[in-house]
Amino acid sequence: MEEKLLIRDEGIEMNTMGSRIRRLRESTGMSAKFASEKLMISASRYSNWENDISKPKPEELEKIVDFYETSYDYLYGKTDEPHLSLNEYKMQQMVDNKILKILGLSTEEIEGLSKSDFDRIIDYTKLVIQSHEMEKLKKKDAQ
């Protein structure tokens, strides 16, 4: 899977599964020790996940998803929304931006898109809509 850099005030952080697990924990305000106890694993194992030394096993991933109320898509970097699956994210974006109706894409076509392709479509569509709005304003001002 493609890794991308996130630039934050305190420095550069890789957008890895470990960093996503850490962000989920930090967003709740709990300590790593407390999270490890709740997940019924050792503190060192939990630390290894957050530091990308090792990855959780499938059954541990299930516990993480349930515990943090997140999605596999978020942990695997398919979406940046911690509480939405990739398909939920796509549909939310389509509804929020009215792009589904504009583009006439089926649900199946949308589900087949990668996140980066999907985001490019949204960005391009927004650009076209903004350009159209600017043209309308220019015509109005010319009258």
Side-chain angles (χ1 to χ4, degrees):
M1 180 179 338
E2 172 183 316
E3 299 284 348
K4 59 182 176 180
L5 289 176
L6 293 179
I7 301 176
R8 301 187 330 172
D9 290 343
E10 60 267 20
I12 297 176
E13 177 183 308
M14 291 298 290
N15 194 14
T16 62
M17 183 179 289
S19 67
R20 286 171 178 267
I21 293 170
R22 173 174 285 144
R23 281 195 296 274
L24 287 166
R25 178 183 58 77
E26 289 174 346
S27 73
T28 66
M30 69 180 75
S31 69
K33 183 178 184 323
F34 181 80
S36 69
E37 289 170 358
K38 290 295 181 185
L39 291 167
M40 295 183 287
I41 58 157
S42 70
S44 64
R45 182 157 182 77
Y46 188 87
S47 175
N48 286 346
W49 295 347
E50 285 194 358
N51 292 303
D52 292 305
I53 294 168
S54 65
K55 291 193 185 305
K57 296 176 184 172
E59 62 273 11
E60 294 168 330
L61 275 174
E62 185 176 353
K63 286 182 180 181
I64 293 168
V65 166
D66 290 343
F67 181 65
Y68 288 118
E69 298 178 350
T70 192
S71 69
Y72 292 97
D73 287 335
Y74 175 74
L75 292 176
Y76 283 107
K78 293 181 180 179
T79 179
D80 291 330
E81 297 293 327
H83 303 293
L84 294 177
S85 71
L86 180 58
N87 285 333
E88 289 170 329
Y89 168 78
K90 289 177 183 177
M91 293 311 293
Q92 179 188 51
Q93 291 297 314
M94 288 304 221
V95 169
D96 289 349
N97 295 294
K98 299 180 179 111
I99 294 174
L100 183 61
K101 193 178 271 188
I102 293 168
L103 296 178
L105 293 173
S106 71
T107 302
E108 292 79 25
E109 290 169 317
I110 293 167
E111 288 175 356
L113 295 170
S114 70
K115 182 179 185 314
S116 61
D117 288 341
F118 182 78
D119 286 342
R120 272 184 276 193
I121 289 170
I122 289 174
D123 291 342
Y124 179 75
T125 305
K126 286 178 181 178
L127 184 64
V128 169
I129 291 169
Q130 289 171 350
S131 175
H132 178 71
E133 293 297 320
M134 293 296 287
E135 288 297 317
K136 282 180 14 182
L137 286 174
K138 286 179 185 176
K139 286 179 183 177
K140 188 177 180 179
D141 287 344
Q143 294 176 354

